[in-house]
Amino acid sequence: MIGSSGLSGGRDVIDVILAFRRALTEVPVDQCPDVAAEYLCDLFDGSMAALNLMDYGGSRFHTITNVGDLVVGEKRSPVGEYYAFADFPFTTQQLAHGASYRSSLDDPDCPQEYRELLSAQRRTACLGAPIRLAGNPLGEFWVARNSGLPFDEGDEDLAVACGATLARFCRPRWAAAG
């Protein structure tokens, strides 16, 4: 099992990325987002994961898939699920700089946008990373936990590598959506 401990120390980045690449290349491009979200949810011991594209024209995030233990209102293949950049300023800023992020309700410095979202969804921690192609953020993947365990710095580092891999192997999907 890749992410059984919730700790990144026991995971070899190269092995993880090779396995992720294999998972993404073994399915048709239209199944790539669901397979990626499932893989990332498992990898990071998440209770759920989502893939969001950046809709720059509408200044909003567009959720294209949700997997795992979904809360009321979340759908696996949502139609019309959007979140304004203005409602997630911390996220938008991090992604614009190509940075990952993590938040936990136990952290007194948890950004307000995550304190509210995690509390409302009865989740305790989240991890996000950019999906970047040629240096441009196309979106993000977001993993949340309800176990009480926070994500760590190693998770953030691995998340950035996973985001880069995801952009490369789902490129036709991102190009069509952007």
Side-chain angles (χ1 to χ4, degrees):
M1 179 181 275
I2 296 171
S4 61
S5 70
L7 302 174
S8 61
R11 296 183 288 199
D12 180 78
V13 174
I14 293 171
D15 289 343
V16 168
I17 296 306
L18 289 174
F20 192 29
R21 287 173 59 168
R22 213 172 16 259
L24 296 175
T25 58
E26 291 175 353
V27 298
V29 172
D30 65 330
Q31 294 176 18
C32 181
D34 290 335
V35 169
E38 292 281 355
Y39 183 91
L40 295 165
C41 191
D42 181 54
L43 175 66
F44 291 106
D45 291 328
S47 58
M48 73 80 61
L51 294 182
N52 302 304
L53 296 179
M54 297 177 89
D55 173 5
Y56 288 101
S59 296
R60 60 192 181 173
F61 295 100
H62 176 201
T63 302
I64 60 170
T65 191
N66 294 302
V67 300
D69 298 329
L70 305 181
V71 298
V72 174
E74 288 179 325
K75 293 182 172 57
R76 183 169 175 101
S77 299
V79 175
E81 185 176 331
Y82 295 96
Y83 301 95
F85 291 165
D87 292 341
F88 292 91
F90 180 78
T91 302
T92 304
Q93 181 181 28
Q94 291 297 104
L95 297 176
H97 289 92
S100 59
Y101 59 88
R102 61 189 157 104
S103 295
S104 171
L105 290 178
D106 292 340
D107 181 355
D109 295 325
C110 179
Q112 189 62 30
E113 65 195 64
Y114 289 113
R115 188 163 302 287
E116 292 172 5
L117 182 63
L118 292 170
S119 294
Q121 296 177 344
R122 295 184 182 181
R123 294 177 175 138
T124 57
C126 65
L127 170 72
I131 300 168
R132 294 172 62 88
L133 187 60
N136 299 314
L138 302 174
E140 68 165 339
F141 75 82
W142 193 74
V143 178
R145 290 181 176 157
N146 58 11
S147 65
L149 293 173
F151 292 96
D152 64 26
E153 189 175 303
D155 291 322
E156 280 190 83
D157 293 342
L158 183 56
V160 170
C162 289
T165 301
L166 183 56
R168 180 170 178 222
F169 286 91
C170 290
R171 187 179 334 192
R173 169 74 177 194
W174 306 136

